[in-house]
Amino acid sequence: MAVGVLLAAGAGRRYGKPKVLVEGWLDAAVHALRDGGCADVVLVLGAAEVAAPPGVTPVVAADWNEGLSASVRAGLAAADRRHADYAVLHVIDTPDVGPAVVARVLAGAMSSRSGLARAYFGDRPGHPVVLARRHWPAVLARLSGDRGAGDYLRGRSDVENVECGDLAGGQDIDEP
């Protein structure tokens, strides 16, 4: 079972407001995860609290201001409570990433020996990132500050880099 973990706790300082408040982005990200193959979706909040869409489980990263690592910790803990086999980490600020991208990256992880996959858009890594459960302790051990699972993934040669540039641009939107 795959659980989607939507990382949406940040303050969006460069954007001018928490990105979870940008109209349409929450629904787009939840749709991508659900229709991309996630049995459940966890919404990680922090700087702003919003009503979670129906069927989405909200969790609050109390230490969200410490950076992305706090959101990943909270999201993986929620995925663990749901007994997920895979966590699909996705971010709120890539609204053009749809279900086809999530499905492709999830399939890449499930068919690989490592259980690790990451979306690529041309030569640029992006989201979603899929982590098999067996990697969660090592990912959690390497998290710090405003860095997520990227440090763990960069140190490995067995990550499936799944090209998705034909499906989306995958650009993080940091400014309005």
Side-chain angles (χ1 to χ4, degrees):
M1 175 182 70
V3 169
V5 176
L6 181 53
L7 306 171
R13 287 177 187 88
R14 288 175 293 188
Y15 197 86
K17 66 180 177 181
K19 295 176 189 175
V20 71
L21 300 176
V22 177
E23 188 172 337
W25 284 11
L26 176 58
D27 290 337
V30 168
H31 169 67
L33 290 167
R34 272 196 185 136
D35 291 356
C38 296
D40 193 7
V41 176
V42 172
L43 171 62
V44 182
L45 298 168
E49 290 192 35
V50 299
V56 173
T57 304
V59 297
V60 175
D63 53 349
W64 66 268
N65 58 342
E66 292 180 16
L68 184 58
S69 62
S71 296
V72 174
R73 277 191 300 275
L76 288 179
D80 183 54
R81 288 189 297 274
R82 281 156 185 72
H83 307 289
D85 300 306
Y86 295 89
V88 181
L89 304 181
H90 190 37
V91 291
I92 192 78
D93 61 354
T94 56
D96 75 328
V97 170
V101 172
V102 173
R104 187 181 286 177
V105 178
L106 184 56
M110 290 179 161
S111 66
S112 75
R113 295 184 90 141
S114 69
L116 297 169
R118 170 175 225 165
Y120 262 75
F121 301 92
D123 61 351
R124 186 177 42 79
H127 287 88
V129 170
V130 180
L131 308 169
R133 172 182 279 280
R134 66 183 174 272
H135 296 282
W136 300 355
V139 168
L140 291 167
R142 296 204 44 188
L143 292 175
S144 68
D146 203 27
R147 293 189 310 242
D151 284 348
Y152 178 76
L153 297 175
R154 274 189 293 280
R156 302 185 63 92
S157 61
D158 59 352
V159 178
E160 290 292 319
N161 296 325
V162 181
E163 178 54 45
C164 297
D166 61 318
L167 300 173
Q171 302 271 348
D172 289 351
I173 299 176
D174 290 329
E175 297 177 355

